[in-house]
Amino acid sequence: MLPLLQLGSLPSLPALLVGLLAIAVVLLVGRLVMKVAWRLVIIAIIAVAVLWILGILGFQFI
């Protein structure tokens, strides 16, 4: 229990606010990047499925 009491005080409120804002920006940018990544994955799945179906029908692309 003694080590928990020796942690010291919290950082100042402006520093805490800046840290929270930085985390919010990182999460927002990550959300936007993941949104684009999901769209690319879905487009790739559709493209591969179309090529696979055309391959079954006898068309050769590769």
Side-chain angles (χ1 to χ4, degrees):
M1 190 65 138
L2 187 59
L4 291 176
L5 296 175
Q6 294 175 348
L7 288 177
S9 64
L10 289 174
S12 66
L13 287 179
L16 192 57
L17 181 61
V18 169
L20 289 173
L21 285 174
I23 291 172
V25 168
V26 168
L27 290 174
L28 182 64
V29 170
R31 247 180 93 175
L32 295 174
V33 169
M34 287 303 294
K35 190 175 184 180
V36 172
W38 271 112
R39 288 183 181 165
L40 289 175
V41 167
I42 290 172
I43 290 170
I45 289 171
I46 292 170
V48 169
V50 167
L51 289 174
W52 179 59
I53 291 171
L54 289 175
I56 290 174
L57 296 175
F59 296 99
Q60 294 294 322
F61 293 101
I62 298 177

